[in-house]
Every structure is written in C-alpha cells, then in structure tokens.
Amino acid sequence: MNAQQLYDMMKKVQEAKGYYFNEDRERVFDLLESLILNKQRYGYMGCPCRLLSGDRAKDRDIICPCVYSVPDIAEFGSCYCNLYVSKEWNEGKMPRDYVPERRPPEKMPF
Amino acid sequence: MTDDESKSPSEIKSQPDVKIYSLSTCSHCKSAKKFLGECTIKYEFVDVDLLEGDERKAIIDDVKKFNPRCSFPTVIIGDKVIVGYKEKEIKEALGLE
C-alpha cells in the first residue's frame, strides 16, 4: 500500500467518525509514509511520533489511530501527531495548541 | 575592558549547546530540526528509533533523565529542557526573542 492508498482508505473511515486529515497535505503524507515505514519495520502501523517497542501487544494503544486520539481531538482538536484533527481545527476556529503526551508513563515499555 | 571585549567575536556569538533527542519518523521532531536549521543554530541530534540494543537503552536512560515521559522531541538548550516542539520556548532558550 502506498501513502495515497492509505490516505484514501483512512479518509473514508475517519471522516465517517468526524475526524479529518490535517489540511497540511505535505505533513499528512510525510506521516503516512512514516506509518508505512513502521509497518515494514515492526509489522504494525505504530504512531510515528512515539518510540515503538516492536511488540504489537505492548504498543496496541498507540497503533494509529491511537486510543488517545479520541480524547485529544475532543480536547485539543488534534491528535498528538497533528495527523487527525477536527473540522474546527482545520478551519482555524480553535487555537492550535501543542498536544501534550496523554499516554500514561506506566504504558511505556522502556 | 568588559567581559565581552576580552572575547573573540566567535565567543561572543557563541550559542548554548543544543541537542535534540528525536525520532526519525516524528513530525514534531522534523519541525524542530527544520526550525533550528532555519535559525542557523548548530545542533546535535540522535534519532532514538534508529538505535538498537545497548546503545538504544543507554540513550533512552539519558532521555528519561531530562524527560521522564521519554517523549519526542526532547530538546536540550544549555541547561534548559523543552519537551515537544515549542517554538516560543526554543526561541527564548536561545535568546532569539
């Protein structure tokens, strides 16, 4: 799968849930390429913005879209990576604050 | 003679040491590197996801000393630690504001 195919597939799935790709297309495709790279490296599309363990079970919560993206988009309008955002975030109707790491430290396998 | 006058021009303009603990895949890490590059700031970086074995463990321990959550980028500017790509804080730490 290439980045365009991943984009088309995820756009359909995520927009139905009310989540949108960041309007910054270059950033989005860079992140999608990283997801594909992580799939090749580890066998799963782990979050490109977090250090992955290489163990799918330990990283289950940060397989994209991660479990934290739902509360992050609800609170900040964006996921941790700025890959998925709300409509309002894309339209500039809310501040684009830096999204802090929500993953609890005890989930980190390091 | 003031302190500055006794120093060579390169010393006067010297910047604090800048180091980035980053991931090769992380969008915020790329933004931080790009920003420092545009500001012509010299920096060192280490892409932790590309390390293996003992070297990786050792660097992760280093990152945790600065940032217990071990998130990326962790930017070290002199004695300041900036977690995440926060342009304003980076500028302040570099004295660019």
Side-chain angles (χ1 to χ4, degrees):
Chain A
M1 189 188 301
N2 64 31
Q4 184 64 54
Q5 289 166 325
L6 182 59
Y7 180 90
D8 292 341
M9 187 180 81
M10 296 311 289
K11 184 174 169 19
K12 200 173 164 187
V13 174
Q14 293 299 315
E15 284 193 1
K17 297 179 186 171
Y19 304 131
Y20 298 83
F21 278 120
N22 185 336
E23 64 184 353
D24 182 344
R25 192 60 68 93
E26 190 184 333
R27 186 182 181 104
V28 165
F29 273 78
D30 194 54
L31 284 164
L32 293 175
E33 296 283 0
S34 293
L35 282 170
I36 292 166
L37 183 65
N38 281 346
K39 170 91 174 166
Q40 289 165 354
R41 277 185 187 162
Y42 308 109
Y44 53 93
M45 288 196 184
C47 176
C49 303
R50 294 177 168 109
L51 185 60
L52 300 170
S53 68
D55 182 329
R56 178 192 282 264
K58 286 179 183 166
D59 288 345
R60 191 181 314 169
D61 58 324
I62 52 169
I63 292 176
C64 186
C66 70
V67 300
Y68 311 105
S69 65
V70 173
D72 280 342
I73 294 169
E75 184 175 352
F76 299 102
S78 170
C79 77
Y80 183 56
C81 282
N82 296 148
L83 177 62
Y84 291 112
V85 301
S86 67
K87 203 172 183 182
E88 292 73 24
W89 192 96
N90 258 347
E91 289 171 351
K93 290 180 180 168
M94 60 187 299
R96 295 185 175 185
D97 293 332
Y98 196 87
V99 180
E101 172 62 293
R102 189 184 292 272
R103 190 185 200 201
E106 60 271 19
K107 285 265 190 186
M108 302 254 314
F110 307 109
Chain B
M1 188 182 267
T2 67
D3 278 353
D4 274 356
E5 284 168 334
S6 65
K7 292 175 182 170
S8 69
S10 63
E11 283 175 318
I12 294 167
K13 287 188 174 180
S14 72
Q15 56 163 75
D17 288 337
V18 180
K19 180 158 190 173
I20 307 179
Y21 293 99
S22 51
L23 302 177
S24 66
T25 52
C26 159
S27 51
H28 302 299
C29 302
K30 288 175 187 172
S31 298
K33 290 172 184 171
K34 189 176 169 200
F35 174 73
L36 289 173
E38 284 169 358
C39 294
T40 65
I41 299 294
K42 284 183 190 164
Y43 64 92
E44 281 180 44
F45 72 92
V46 54
D47 284 333
V48 181
D49 60 316
L50 301 181
L51 303 178
E52 290 179 355
D54 290 344
E55 190 183 13
R56 178 174 157 122
K57 279 182 199 157
I59 294 287
I60 288 172
D61 286 345
D62 286 348
V63 178
K64 281 182 172 174
K65 282 178 205 156
F66 294 115
N67 168 17
R69 298 196 75 136
C70 199
S71 58
F72 300 90
T74 295
V75 184
I76 317 296
I77 301 176
D79 57 2
K80 296 192 178 75
V81 179
I82 299 163
V83 174
Y85 173 50
K86 293 170 186 154
E87 200 176 295
K88 192 167 179 290
E89 288 182 33
I90 292 173
K91 275 186 179 173
E92 280 170 5
L94 289 167
L96 298 176
E97 286 260 283

